[in-house]
Amino acid sequence: MNDRKIASLQVLRGVAALMVVSHHAGRAVSARRPEDLVYTDFSIILSEIIELGSVGVDLFFVLSGFLMLHIAEPYFRGQRSVFDFLLQRVVRIWPLYLVATFVALIPALATLVRTGVMGYDLTPYRLLGLVFVPTFNANGGIQPILGVGWTLSYEFLFYLAFAAILPFGRPHALVRLAAVLLALHGVGQILGSSAMGHFLRSDLLLEFFAGGTIAILFQRGLLRFGTGAALIAAGGVLLLGSTLLPASNVPRAVAFGVPACLAFTGFLTLEGRVAWPSWLLLVGDASYALYLFHTLLLYRVANAVMRPLFAHGHPEIGMVAAFAAAVLTALVVGIGAHFAIERRLQAIIAGWLRENRNANSRKSVAPPSVAGRTTA
């Protein structure tokens, strides 16, 4: 079954993207609000609740792990090569990421033209982030040019780990995947307290593995359908409960990963049992573009809406209005980028790959006298 036919997963993509957008919109009106807009009463938007929106990232990681196992059969059987697998992954995520990164750099480039000063770190080291190599700030956090791109470094690391097990076939695939991830963790341990060490031994990689485990259970018919609502509710309760735990003592894979797995499984078991609204399916289709582009205007819009309302003595209204405007703007920009950029890019690249395959096929079947003939 192709993942496109699993409507519940498209909806889950949309939900995950909306959670991330809401997370950043919430931060725009609270923790990252301009300092001159003073307001200390957080009774409307609690910082703990805002942080819960970041579980959308964990949902994406679980989803990626699921899809890799779900679509892997032709690669496990040797019908398609490991190179094809990696090429498909690169084609899917890299072109739009480059476009979004360039758009994010436009203000810095405009400043460079106007003042002769870049005002942005574009050292060769920083540019490695354009090909998913993690680059780190002074505090050891991943900091690519496009802020949300940090997740793609983990995404591509998992793709490489998964590619390593494809030549060995499906039997014991999860065991082999666990061994590769354990080896990465071991390298991270060897690298110690360095930023790369922390990256390689991150518990976020467990979320990809969990998604793969769910895929195996799904393919073997071991998931109980009809329990979806209960699983989603359980995930929500656990997620809310995580706000009561000391964050420094609880791994993210536990605080956010476990609720994400429950919610993901719940959505999966609702397949064919719920008539999902078309608008949510649309958000799911546009989820990658929405994820990449949503921060480019979100903070500016929130600031523009808040400032006059704060000035007129209506901070509460200003925060709520700014939150709503930021989310709406993100949706418009993300869905617009999906139709105007992402779909066109994918169509162009797919056409190019198809022509290239056809050309190679013609060469492979051409008679030797034709294939080897040269012209004077």
Side-chain angles (χ1 to χ4, degrees), residues 58-76:
D58 305 85
L59 285 170
F60 278 129
F61 286 171
V62 175
L63 176 63
S64 289
F66 175 92
L67 289 179
M68 292 309 98
L69 264 295
H70 188 62
I71 67 173
E73 198 60 33
Y75 303 102
F76 280 138

Side-chain angles (χ1 to χ4, degrees), residues 56-359:
V57 167
D58 305 85
L59 285 170
F60 278 129
F61 286 171
V62 175
L63 176 63
S64 289
F66 175 92
L67 289 179
M68 292 309 98
L69 264 295
H70 188 62
I71 67 173
E73 198 60 33
Y75 303 102
F76 280 138
R77 291 181 178 179
Q79 297 168 338
R80 301 189 69 179
S81 68
V82 173
F83 175 80
D84 284 337
F85 169 77
L86 290 173
L87 179 62
Q88 290 300 317
R89 294 300 93 204
V90 170
V91 164
R92 178 68 188 94
I93 66 175
W94 192 48
L96 193 65
Y97 178 55
L98 286 182
V99 173
T101 300
F102 175 75
V103 173
L105 282 173
I106 288 176
L109 295 175
T111 301
L112 175 63
V113 171
R114 190 173 62 253
T115 66
V117 178
M118 171 60 76
Y120 205 91
D121 179 9
L122 288 181
T123 59
Y125 170 72
R126 190 77 183 281
L127 292 174
L128 287 174
L130 292 175
V131 290
F132 311 120
V133 175
T135 57
F136 307 95
N137 58 24
N139 298 321
I142 303 178
Q143 191 177 46
I145 295 170
L146 183 66
V148 296
W150 70 270
T151 61
L152 297 182
S153 293
Y154 284 106
E155 191 88 25
F156 206 77
L157 178 64
F158 176 71
Y159 292 160
L160 293 174
F162 191 73
I165 73 169
L166 289 176
F168 301 98
R170 181 172 286 280
H172 312 298
L174 278 180
V175 175
R176 292 190 179 94
L177 182 58
V180 174
L181 295 179
L182 188 62
L184 290 174
H185 184 87
V187 174
Q189 291 286 5
I190 293 171
L191 295 176
S193 59
S194 67
M196 184 60 76
H198 285 293
F199 172 74
L200 291 175
R201 61 176 185 269
S202 170
D203 60 329
L204 289 172
L205 293 174
L206 294 175
E207 297 179 354
F208 293 101
F209 182 80
T213 303
I214 295 170
I216 297 295
L217 296 176
F218 176 69
Q219 291 168 342
R220 294 180 180 177
L222 298 177
L223 298 181
R224 284 191 60 191
F225 286 81
T227 59
L231 288 170
I232 294 171
V237 169
L238 284 179
L239 186 61
L240 287 172
S242 69
T243 63
L244 305 176
L245 301 173
S248 59
N249 297 331
V250 183
R252 178 166 180 154
V254 174
F256 284 5
V258 172
C261 286
L262 287 172
F264 176 88
T265 307
F267 272 92
L268 190 60
T269 57
L270 289 176
E271 179 62 21
R273 289 164 168 77
V274 175
W276 300 107
S278 57
W279 69 267
L280 196 48
L281 289 167
L282 172 61
V283 175
D285 287 339
S287 58
Y288 184 51
L290 177 58
Y291 179 75
L292 290 181
F293 283 86
H294 77 275
T295 59
L296 299 182
L297 290 176
L298 183 148
Y299 290 99
R300 290 183 176 88
V301 169
N303 185 24
V305 172
M306 276 190 296
R307 193 164 293 282
L309 289 167
F310 267 67
H312 287 85
H314 305 293
E316 297 91 349
I317 296 175
M319 291 170 69
V320 173
F323 177 88
V327 171
L328 181 60
T329 300
L331 283 170
V332 171
V333 170
I335 294 173
H338 170 65
F339 283 104
I341 304 174
E342 182 179 22
R343 289 179 56 165
R344 294 182 181 183
L345 269 177
Q346 291 297 311
I348 291 169
I349 294 170
W352 180 81
L353 291 175
R354 186 166 52 249
E355 289 179 7
N356 191 54
R357 282 195 298 268
N358 291 340

